[in-house]
Amino acid sequence: MCRVSTLNDEAAQILDALEKQDTIVVYADKKPILLTIEKISRSNPIYAMDIPNILTKKKYKIDIVTPATRKTSGEYTNRPDLCQYFTSVANKLKVYEDILIENSELEMLFANIKMSRYNFESRNYMIGGKNIPAMTGSCDISINSDSEQVDKIKLLLGYATYSGIGAKTSLGMGGFLVQA
């Protein structure tokens, strides 16, 4: 199964193109793999401001399903600091949704998240012949905060399911899921 998420109408053209195909070729370690397209399901659009009303709980399981990385001082790193990975989500909210969450506010929001039952694993992700240090994994989180902060945390979590987290998300890195 493959999941394609789009943030705007231009990116939605990917789905239009896939609907016209029976197969696509993807590459793994420079070797072509033929994938058969059996079914395409489209979901109704979800708008950023609706996310806090969709994610109604204060406890979630989060999954980083494709390797995630981030850049620190010009170097890629895979240390599991969720706040740092979500800087990219806050940046995309600013660009695509005109919602500003400053870095200091992002740090305050993540200070109100309690992480438990975590399982993160180091991975390498090959791009252009270069191994990039990354991580995959999951954890349970609980949000301990007031309602406005809870809504912003939920917004970040929900938006990350479309935007991915960390660096190189347009190349398939940082795939993210939230489960209640």
Side-chain angles (χ1 to χ4, degrees), residues 59-63 117 138-141 177-180:
K59 292 183 179 185
Y60 298 95
K61 179 180 184 222
I62 61 172
D63 291 302
R117 296 180 47 164
S138 63
C139 69
D140 293 340
I141 61 167
L177 294 175
V178 177
Q179 302 172 46

Side-chain angles (χ1 to χ4, degrees), residues 127-172:
I127 296 179
K130 183 178 177 184
N131 273 325
I132 295 179
M135 71 167 192
T136 57
S138 63
C139 69
D140 293 340
I141 61 167
S142 300
I143 304 168
N144 304 314
S145 192
D146 66 37
S147 63
E148 183 180 326
Q149 290 176 329
V150 169
D151 285 351
K152 283 190 178 180
I153 293 168
K154 289 177 183 180
L155 173 62
L156 287 160
L157 293 172
Y159 204 77
T161 66
Y162 293 95
S163 70
I165 63 170
K168 303 282 187 189
T169 56
S170 64
L171 298 174

Side-chain angles (χ1 to χ4, degrees), residues 9-131:
D9 292 336
E10 291 81 15
Q13 293 176 28
I14 296 167
L15 297 175
D16 298 336
L18 286 174
E19 287 179 330
K20 297 174 185 171
Q21 304 296 318
D22 295 325
T23 60
I24 59 171
V25 177
V26 296
Y27 291 85
D29 296 324
K30 298 183 182 180
K31 297 175 187 167
I33 300 171
L34 186 66
L35 298 178
T36 302
I37 299 173
E38 294 178 2
K39 176 183 174 185
I40 293 180
S41 300
R42 289 188 185 232
S43 299
N44 290 330
I46 298 172
Y47 299 97
M49 296 314 295
D50 294 335
I51 292 171
N53 297 323
I54 295 168
L55 297 176
T56 59
K57 305 203 183 291
K58 285 192 168 190
K59 292 183 179 185
Y60 298 95
K61 179 180 184 222
I62 61 172
D63 291 302
I64 302 168
V65 294
T66 61
T69 192
R70 59 187 179 86
K71 258 191 170 176
T72 302
S73 302
E75 298 287 324
Y76 291 107
T77 182
N78 61 354
R79 286 185 298 256
D81 181 340
L82 290 180
C83 181
Q84 293 298 313
Y85 284 91
F86 273 82
T87 300
S88 68
V89 180
N91 290 340
K92 289 174 186 160
L93 279 166
K94 180 181 176 183
V95 170
Y96 295 111
E97 307 295 337
D98 202 28
I99 298 171
L100 180 62
I101 300 175
E102 298 282 351
N103 284 342
S104 58
E105 183 179 13
L106 188 65
E107 290 172 10
M108 182 194 64
L109 292 171
F110 274 83
N112 290 305
I113 292 177
K114 180 182 174 191
M115 186 178 4
S116 62
R117 296 180 47 164
Y118 57 88
N119 180 16
F120 295 114
E121 187 173 329
S122 294
R123 302 269 184 195
N124 283 325
Y125 195 83
M126 180 77 74
I127 296 179
K130 183 178 177 184
N131 273 325

